[in-house]
Amino acid sequence: MTGPLRPAFHEGQVLAAADLSATVEYARGTSGRHARHLHDWGIAEGLGLVTGGRTDPLTHARYVEVSVAPGIAVDGTGREVVLTEPVVLRESDFEEVNGADQPTDEPYPVFLTAADREPARAPGPVGCAGGAPEARVEESYQILFGRLGDERLADEQRPPAIGAPPAAPPVRWLVLLGYVRWTDGHFSGVEARARGVGVRFAGVRADTVSAASGALTLRTGPTAQEGKPALVLSGGDQPSLVFGLYRGSGTVAPLMTLAANGNLTIEGSFSGRMPVGSTLVTSGTATDGMLLPLPSGIAPEQIADGRVVIHVHLTPRIPPTATRTTLVTAVETAVDGDRRVRCRTRSADVALAKVVERPGAVDFLVLATIVATNGGG
């Protein structure tokens, strides 16, 4: 086995057709290996299934015309498949493959694959010896309809060997474009996903992604759109990781910010499953008759079914005395099973021999301990 052979030339060399072809094949092989091993195959741009309303002239029934939008896909061999114009799907091609099926609501897969063709010959004089061999090959495409379930064939395809060039016929690599529905002899709709298999888009294989500008942005579309999410990793003097939504100005409104010092700022609430043994705490001041709050993330149902155990600590707040002859004490400091505070203070004036009881206040500490995750315990 040898590695890729790069053509080399010297002065006075007589070049044969094979030498020039080798130059082209070397470049195609390099491009194909790059696309195959540094990227994941799939749709790179466009190629969506587009519908347009139509009316059957005989039955006057409404149906849709389905076309494939222009775009580019890269197959699993590293070959580009390019559609420069919209392509209308032919119902006769669908009937040839699936016309014998019983009526069904299940959508049928539509595939794109690469194909080589002879380009259209330009009009002109033909020599006495007949036409010369073609000097060009059109890297074209073919659109295929699959049977129900054939979408899984795309996942079963295996890439060629490490050093192999992009595929050439009769090798075929299927790129799933989507699905069509068929009703009463016409297309009736399109889908992007069916039976757990969706359209696959091209990706990148990389352990490190670096940004020349000092900020790396991940977003869900090719352009910044208001209301769409983005993740921004920023360097500079104050590094941060920000998740948020795009504003109309194109900037990102933060919903979650992780600063370089580890501080996490969240605009909304925080919730999640707590592991067994975790303890959440809340504290504050409550007056007689108030219901003590639960720590954030704890629901009364968790206490009722035994998943969470509550511990409460109360400290009575003794108000300042009005005179030197007044003595104030706490006569009741408790909380009932509903977490309602009972707090009473007694004020006794020695000089006036007067005793008064009033509602009081307490400082509270509520600890909630997770003892089970699925009830009981």
Side-chain angles (χ1 to χ4, degrees):
M1 299 294 294
T2 63
L5 296 177
R6 183 177 69 250
F9 306 105
H10 57 82
E11 293 292 340
Q13 179 180 351
V14 177
L15 297 179
D19 296 316
L20 300 179
S21 296
T23 302
V24 174
E25 291 304 315
Y26 177 78
R28 292 186 71 239
T30 300
S31 174
R33 289 187 294 272
H34 174 95
R36 189 162 67 240
H37 301 301
L38 294 181
H39 298 271
D40 289 323
W41 65 272
I43 295 174
E45 178 67 29
L47 299 181
L49 297 182
V50 182
T51 61
R54 298 290 185 270
T55 301
D56 190 310
L58 299 179
T59 64
H60 303 290
R62 295 289 294 173
Y63 67 99
V64 297
E65 179 183 80
V66 180
S67 59
V68 182
I72 298 176
V74 179
D75 70 19
T77 74
R79 173 166 173 160
E80 290 185 352
V81 188
V82 182
L83 270 68
T84 58
E85 297 177 347
V87 179
V88 176
L89 301 186
R90 295 185 296 189
E91 293 179 336
S92 59
D93 291 344
F94 177 88
E95 288 189 300
E96 184 177 341
V97 177
N98 298 296
D101 286 2
Q102 295 295 320
T104 178
D105 291 333
E106 288 291 318
Y108 291 83
V110 183
F111 299 105
L112 176 72
T113 188
D116 285 347
R117 293 194 176 96
E118 290 187 3
R121 187 184 296 273
V126 178
C128 298
E134 288 292 344
R136 301 288 188 274
V137 174
E138 180 185 356
E139 294 189 340
S140 189
Y141 62 88
Q142 187 177 9
I143 296 175
L144 306 171
F145 292 102
R147 305 279 295 167
L148 292 176
D150 279 354
E151 62 274 4
R152 302 197 178 277
L153 295 176
D155 288 335
E156 295 172 359
Q157 300 173 113
R158 293 294 175 262
I162 292 294
V171 175
R172 173 180 289 176
W173 190 281
L174 300 175
V175 177
L176 179 66
L177 298 179
Y179 301 82
V180 292
R181 294 189 180 274
W182 182 259
T183 306
D184 297 331
H186 293 292
F187 296 126
S188 58
V190 299
E191 304 287 344
R193 188 177 188 85
R195 297 177 289 278
V197 180
V199 174
R200 174 172 175 156
F201 293 91
V204 62
R205 301 180 185 181
D207 288 340
T208 301
V209 179
S210 60
S213 66
L216 183 65
T217 301
L218 299 178
R219 59 183 179 225
T220 58
T223 59
Q225 298 183 19
E226 185 174 3
K228 296 297 184 180
L231 186 66
V232 182
L233 177 62
S234 300
D237 295 335
Q238 296 181 332
S240 65
L241 178 64
V242 173
F243 170 77
L245 302 179
Y246 275 112
R247 303 185 180 99
S249 61
T251 58
V252 176
L255 295 178
M256 182 184 73
T257 303
L258 179 61
N261 60 4
N263 289 343
L264 179 64
T265 303
I266 301 177
E267 296 300 318
S269 60
F270 177 82
S271 63
R273 181 181 294 275
M274 297 293 293
V276 174
S278 298
T279 299
L280 300 176
V281 179
T282 187
S283 61
T285 301
T287 57
D288 182 64
M290 282 185 59
L291 193 68
L292 293 182
L294 292 173
S296 178
I298 299 298
E301 295 80 9
Q302 294 173 292
I303 301 172
D305 63 17
R307 286 178 288 169
V308 173
V309 173
I310 292 293
H311 305 273
V312 178
H313 179 75
L314 302 178
T315 302
R317 295 175 68 95
I318 305 300
T321 56
T323 65
R324 293 184 177 182
T325 60
T326 302
L327 177 65
V328 180
T329 60
V331 294
E332 184 182 18
T333 304
V335 60
D336 62 19
D338 294 327
R339 304 191 317 280
R340 193 171 300 279
V341 172
R342 296 296 300 164
C343 180
R344 307 284 295 178
T345 61
R346 180 176 296 162
S347 175
D349 191 316
V350 177
L352 300 176
K354 182 179 179 181
V355 177
V356 179
E357 285 193 6
R358 295 185 178 88
V362 296
D363 294 326
F364 67 85
L365 181 68
V366 179
L367 293 88
T369 302
I370 313 296
V371 297
T373 57
N374 295 316

